């Protein structure tokens, strides 16, 4: 059985802290994600936490089969309680070594468990940056999750003969830039983005 190579708990707590710092007035603010306001980004984070929690548990169904592009996500009235809860469940689910083995599914895509773990680490790191930038909060991602995110994004960009990353064209960032800036650039975002 494959042992987990990193724990998502630190990064899920960081994302939960950022979400807790969002004011109601900021819910309609723009984010680095095209066409998503803060409320939609929070809805996306909630949905991906549920989907990847279920992917870790190999509890495949509607939550793991639905593409993230199927609809614009939004938050419900209880999002302030729901998001930290599902983030905790997500981290706990990925602590089980069985989550890292065999095949699973997320976003309607079948993938190996250890790849799904890297994908969710990337989602949490990059969308944590999105949320922090959009709401003016300080952000330092968990180093292990950041490294997993960078490694996955770098490999995806290297595999592309068009210079595209997973989320769009790579934004060039100097090699000596901080690792977070390089990951953000590989995700197709400008590390200097401001609202």
């Amino acid at each position: 059985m494959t042992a987990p190579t990193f724990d998502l708990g630190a990064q899920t707590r960081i994302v939960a802290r950022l979400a807790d710092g969002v004011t109601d007035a900021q819910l309609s603010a723009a984010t680095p994600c095209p066409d998503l306001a803060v409320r939609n980004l929070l809805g996306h984070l909630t949905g991906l936490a549920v989907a990847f929690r279920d992917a870790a548990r190999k509890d495949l169904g509607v939550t793991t089969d639905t593409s993230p592009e199927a609809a614009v996500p939004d938050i419900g009235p209880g999002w302030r309680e729901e998001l930290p809860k599902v983030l905790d469940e997500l981290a706990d689910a990925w602590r089980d070594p069985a989550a890292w083995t065999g095949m699973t599914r997320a976003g309607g895509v079948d993938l190996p468990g250890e790849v799904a773990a890297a994908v969710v680490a990337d989602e949490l790191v990059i969308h944590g940056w999105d949320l922090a930038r959009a709401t003016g909060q300080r952000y330092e991602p968990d180093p292990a999750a950041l490294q997993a995110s960078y490694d996955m994004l770098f490999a995806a960009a290297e595999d592309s003969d068009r210079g595209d990353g997973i989320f769009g064209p790579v934004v060039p960032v100097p090699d000596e830039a901080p690792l977070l800036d390089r990951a953000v650039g590989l995700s197709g975002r400008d590390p200097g983005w401001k609202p």
Side-chain angles (χ1 to χ4, degrees):
M1 185 133 327
T2 303
T5 57
F6 53 85
D7 187 293
L8 291 170
Q11 186 62 29
T12 57
R13 285 189 298 276
I14 290 166
V15 171
R17 178 189 54 77
L18 291 168
D20 188 54
V22 174
T23 66
D24 288 345
Q26 291 173 320
L27 291 175
S28 59
T31 72
C33 301
D35 305 322
L36 293 186
V38 168
R39 68 179 306 112
N40 307 121
L41 179 58
L42 290 164
H44 176 63
L45 282 163
T46 303
L48 77 85
V50 169
F52 280 94
R53 174 202 66 197
D54 293 349
R57 295 173 177 171
K58 310 292 197 290
D59 184 11
L60 308 182
V62 139
T63 60
T64 60
D65 290 345
T66 305
S67 166
E69 287 84 32
V72 175
D74 203 351
I75 51 172
W79 74 269
R80 289 190 184 275
E81 295 76 33
E82 181 185 11
L83 180 55
K85 176 181 175 283
V86 295
L87 286 168
D88 283 347
E89 293 170 354
L90 168 70
D92 189 54
W94 283 100
R95 289 184 182 115
D96 182 350
W100 295 70
T101 62
M103 296 295 290
T104 191
R105 183 179 314 121
V109 177
D110 292 327
L111 62 172
E114 62 191 71
V115 172
V119 171
V120 74
D122 173 63
E123 291 274 348
L124 293 169
V125 167
I126 298 300
H127 289 318
W129 180 85
D130 292 331
L131 188 58
R133 279 300 169 109
T135 59
Q137 297 185 67
R138 188 170 165 268
Y139 181 55
E140 288 184 28
D142 170 63
L146 173 58
Q147 189 65 57
S149 171
Y150 176 81
D151 291 345
M152 190 199 76
L153 291 166
F154 183 81
E158 287 287 301
D159 284 346
S160 172
D161 58 357
R162 301 176 321 239
D164 285 351
I166 294 173
F167 305 108
V170 169
V171 174
V173 176
D175 290 343
E176 64 275 7
L179 187 60
L180 178 58
D181 287 357
R182 288 182 281 147
V184 166
L186 287 170
S187 77
R189 292 158 170 78
D190 176 359
W193 187 92
K194 290 185 183 349

